Amino acid sequence: MGERAVTHARRLTLAHLWVAFAAFAVAAVLGVWQMWARSPLPAPYLTAESYFTSVTAHGVSMAYVLTTFMVMGFGYYVAETALGRPLPLPRFAWLGFWLGIIGSAMTAVTIFAGNATVLFTFYPPLTASPFFYIGLVLVVVGSWIWCGLMLWAMLDFKRANPGVPVPLAMFATVANAVLWLWTTVGVAAELLFQIIPAAFGWNESVDVGLSRTLFSWTLHAIVYFWLLPAYIAFYTMAPQAAGGRLYSDTMGRLTFILFLIYSLPVGMHHLFMDPQQSSAFKFLQMSFTALVAAPTLLTVFTISASLEIAGRLRGGKGYFGWIAALPWERPMVLATGMAFFMLWFGGGGGLINMSFGMNAMVHNTSWVTAHFHLIFGGTVVIMYFAIAYAIWPTLTNRLPMSPRLQRLQLWLWFIGMMVMTLPWHYLGLQGQWRRVATFNYSDPIIAGWGPWVIVSLVGGIILLASALLFVWNLLQFHSARAVVATDLRPIYALAVHPPERVPAALNGFALWNVLVLVLMVAAYGYPIAQFFIIDAPEAIVHRVNGRG
Amino acid sequence: MRADTEQEILKTELWWTALVIAIVTAIMLAIIYAGVVHHINPPSNIETIDPKTLHLTGEFTESNLGTRVEAGDQVTSRVVATQFAFQPQCIVVPSNRTVTLRFATPDVIHGILVTGTNVNTMIIPGYVSQVHTVFTKTGDLLMPCHEFCGLGHSQMWATVRVVPEDQFRPGPDGRASCDAR
Amino acid sequence: MKPAELREIDRPWRIWASVIIVSILAFSVVFGFLVLPIVQGRAAGLDAFTAICRAVGILPGSPAVKQPTSEAKAQPTTQVAWSTDLMRTFGRRTQAGAEIAQGCVACHGEHGIAADPQNPNLAGQSAAAIYKQLHDYKSGSRVHDVMTGIAQGLEDRQIVEVATHFASSARRDLDPTTAEVVDEDVIRLVERGDPSRGLPACNSCHGFNAGGPIETPTLSHQNREYLARQLQAFKTDARRNDIYTRMRSVAVKLTDREIERLATFYATTLSY
């Protein structure tokens, strides 16, 4: 599949990605200030309320705004470039965009007005102003429109090209859309039936066990929604950037299918330490969680093999010579290498979190914060950067003189993430708990943590420098020299043996949706139903938006 | 890596898949082993209690909180997590003896861990959280609230005082407190 | 390719995918629902049926240990329990509330603003806070020479009405001339707390956007003398109707000077 003109999706993608990265830059500033506040050094503007306002804003911007807009924008880009067809119904795409903008703005205003210090996980019975939640719902509704458009674009392609496999990049994007539709069911139910009525004052109490269970439905799969663009880049962009080919197209398809299936019935591993879910269902979801390691391990292999092909084509010899022969000066290749490196640490940490015995050692400690910053902030976001650097030339038809600053930015991010999260992992094992504004450094146990907290703050400052440099680098594109489209390297990799025909199972999602349904009923059916059977006691709502 | 024919690629991928399956199976077997031999279980006793009337109940009434030696020499410690303090703020427990910790909350979600141990549970309004453990090291351990529970969350912690078994001397009513020592 | 051929290459995928996924599910069910609870239950002296029911969550308790019991008697520090119904009754201002409030004028002022600073202002106070204190006077959880008798003369419904009445009255204006220069450390206690003493920020419950316990009173615009006396009462255990020592555990850590300065700060400076 060669590179084709980006037509409708050009402005659409740019708009989405700029919103995503603007939110990211703001959140990066807040993140550094939070680490400063937690350190033994005196931080300015620090009050309990300002700290948790900041944590809420940081979490919402990074986890909901950056990711959703990135996934949507990149999806529109893939739909048009990989399928080689104009995006259907672009007006609806703009509708989804504006819903997301209005929702994000509404949520942001509520947070900074001090009416939503509930953090991005908003666990009831603490409830924020209803406009905080309505804003989030609007973002989700906007993303549902995106899901519909992705499915529509794929079906349209299949109708026009009977028997032709859907290109892997698009297949994976649609897998993410299907995953997201399943994912949002849990949190949507929690918001619409429990939290929003409570926030408006229509309900004075809330079933907390049920709300945690519904939120857990979403809480793990959402991570894969954030992650899949990175995997799409691994499979379809990195081998091409390295000058090689994708080792196996089938493995790519299977990986995305496995993500769809096993990221959903596993959310209860976030509730391992909760009293309201039983050990049998925790075991069930734990064994599914173990299987989520499978697609990642398959990817590590397939992408390493693909890069090996590239390295050998470039003259690399011996067992490891091909690694040195890879074109590391290209941002996509460099970012892929760094992402894999961080994935080893983060994935290893994840295996510890998933076993309920070891989870007791690290649950709600800095270890968990370190884990998701390393996997999401590290592996995933560094691939967001690489994707942006790869597609910005085709979006702007402009190319800066040299990718030197891009490489510097990636290195800063990688080093900063390591310097920040390795101390956090260590502190988590020492028992440092999360989500606190200030520590009592006069306590002898906690005093020993101080130096490590300061080291991680240094990591945070490096990350902030990288974040600002990233925005600067993107701005450089818009003022760089113009190029004609033919100068640009094609983006998507061909497979070593491009598929001529694939079974329907690897070309669509009907079968997998049925299996997801079976697993979700098995994993979440009784755990949700039990709250209605045991008549669980409810808790009185505690509102943080002004005493009424 | 050989990649001349589709068959070769398939074969390599299948070998790798087998390795992945072996890794996942090994992890699961380790967990099952821990469950069967060491009886590792998550804190999962779905035992409901109404948070609205928690302070009116017998078990979690203010005067019944803290450590108590009960029938069968069972050491049980009851703690309430509330915005923004634990009650009591210090509990005393003997080392090298099974201790049952029971937690409940009248208001919002909290959670606890005890530094340097595997004691860890969420405290969810509506449920009693229960942890069985054996403390092996003596001394004062920190027991912070580890889930955001409101603006005072950062200052919410208690102390677990682990004393050698021979220095653990409950009163005639079976109760032991940090002050008494 | 013909549709029949397509179906043919798809069939093994459908079958094998389903078989594998259902087998993994069955494996997890066998171990999680049967093997583990039976083995663990046996060691704890539980029969297999009980252990399985506990593992699945039908019976309370862990499959691996016996449940402790407690025979303690309730000795509550207050009889007030918040319920959905009670929370819903606040907020509807009634004529009856205004009439009951006439009985409060002598000490709490005509509009709920007390002339004698030893008495609390009620205007603009949270309805839940007033309800809780009146109810506690009535039940004896809190004792006062005058208030105990008055509260005992009120029915629960009347307590709700008068609480709602005062909650919706306009609060006292802050007099800027009485505002004092406030020490940095007092503002710190109010906004940030003191980690070294485990003191949460006062505003983490008493702030405008706090989300603390339901019965938390508003302190801003309150009388300095009243605030200081109550903090002292909590500190010395003379007053103990706070649920789970929420205030006693804080007040006991405050110095007398801090109590004075905090009372002044809330009474004269802080406004929301």
Side-chain angles (χ1 to χ4, degrees), chain A residues 46-48 114-115 126 202 205 261 278-280 283-284 287-288 291 440 442 501 503-505 512 540 542-544 546-547, chain C residues 1 9-10 13 17 21 24-25 28 32 36 55-57 84 88 191-192 195-196 205-209 211-212 214 216 218:
Chain A
L46 175 60
T47 67
N115 287 326
L126 283 175
W202 305 328
S205 65
I261 296 176
S278 68
S279 52
F283 182 90
L284 180 76
S287 58
F288 293 158
L291 288 164
N440 172 20
S442 63
R501 58 193 168 91
W512 310 113
I540 296 285
H542 287 57
R543 299 192 175 88
V544 303
R547 205 94 51 55
Chain C
M1 204 169 3
I9 61 166
D10 193 42
W13 280 93
I21 283 172
I24 293 170
L25 177 60
S28 310
L36 281 176
V56 179
T84 318
R88 286 215 174 103
E191 294 185 337
R192 214 194 279 190
S196 67
C205 291
H206 296 284
F208 184 67
N209 284 331
I214 306 297
T216 309
T218 302

Side-chain angles (χ1 to χ4, degrees), chain B residues 35 39 41 45-47 52 54-56 58 60-64 82-84 87 89 107 130 132 151-152 155 157, chain C residues 40 43 60-61 65 67 69-70 72 74-75 77-78 80-82 195 199 204-205 211-213 244-246 248-249 253:
Chain B
H39 298 181
N41 253 330
N45 59 315
I46 309 180
E47 194 185 338
K52 300 187 279 298
L54 185 74
H55 58 290
L56 305 181
F60 286 96
T61 200
E62 200 182 301
S63 52
N64 193 45
T82 174
Q83 289 172 318
F84 296 100
Q87 172 62 16
Q89 301 203 346
D107 41 53
Q130 184 168 286
H132 307 276
L151 298 180
Q155 280 78 35
W157 68 76
Chain C
Q40 294 179 347
V65 275
Q67 273 296 102
T69 54
S70 168
Q75 292 173 304
T77 51
T78 176
V80 173
W82 302 113
L199 272 176
S204 53
C205 291
Y244 292 124
T245 74
R246 277 168 181 150
R248 278 169 285 167
S249 63
K253 293 174 186 164

Side-chain angles (χ1 to χ4, degrees), chain A residues 315-329:
Chain A
K317 297 268 184 286
Y319 277 117
F320 298 108
W322 59 270
I323 297 176
L326 285 172
W328 293 111
E329 72 281 2

Side-chain angles (χ1 to χ4, degrees), chain B residues 59-68 76-82 85-92 102-104 112 143 156-160 175-179, chain C residues 244-245 249 253:
Chain B
E59 180 172 4
F60 286 96
T61 200
E62 200 182 301
S63 52
N64 193 45
L65 301 175
T67 308
R68 188 186 275 264
T76 306
S77 209
R78 294 182 176 82
V79 178
V80 163
T82 174
F86 290 99
Q87 172 62 16
Q89 301 203 346
C90 176
I91 55 171
V92 60
R102 280 168 71 77
F103 302 90
I112 57 102
M143 185 173 81
M156 181 169 170
W157 68 76
T159 305
V160 177
R175 306 191 53 175
S177 77
C178 291
D179 307 331
Chain C
Y244 292 124
T245 74
S249 63
K253 293 174 186 164

Side-chain angles (χ1 to χ4, degrees), chain C residues 111-124:
Chain C
H111 301 288
I113 297 165
D116 180 352
Q118 290 291 334
N119 300 330
N121 298 324
L122 299 179

Side-chain angles (χ1 to χ4, degrees), chain C residues 7 64 70 73 81 98 107 111 125 133 179 189 255 260 264:
Chain C
R7 270 201 300 279
S70 168
K73 296 267 182 321
C107 299
H111 301 288
Q125 184 56 274
Q133 297 312 320
L189 272 182
T255 64
E260 280 305 316
T264 304

Side-chain angles (χ1 to χ4, degrees), chain A residues 253-269:
Chain A
R253 287 167 198 268
L254 269 180
T255 296
F256 290 103
I257 288 167
L258 283 172
F259 274 133
L260 169 62
I261 296 176
Y262 284 116
S263 62
L264 279 157
V266 300
M268 213 183 272
H269 68 237

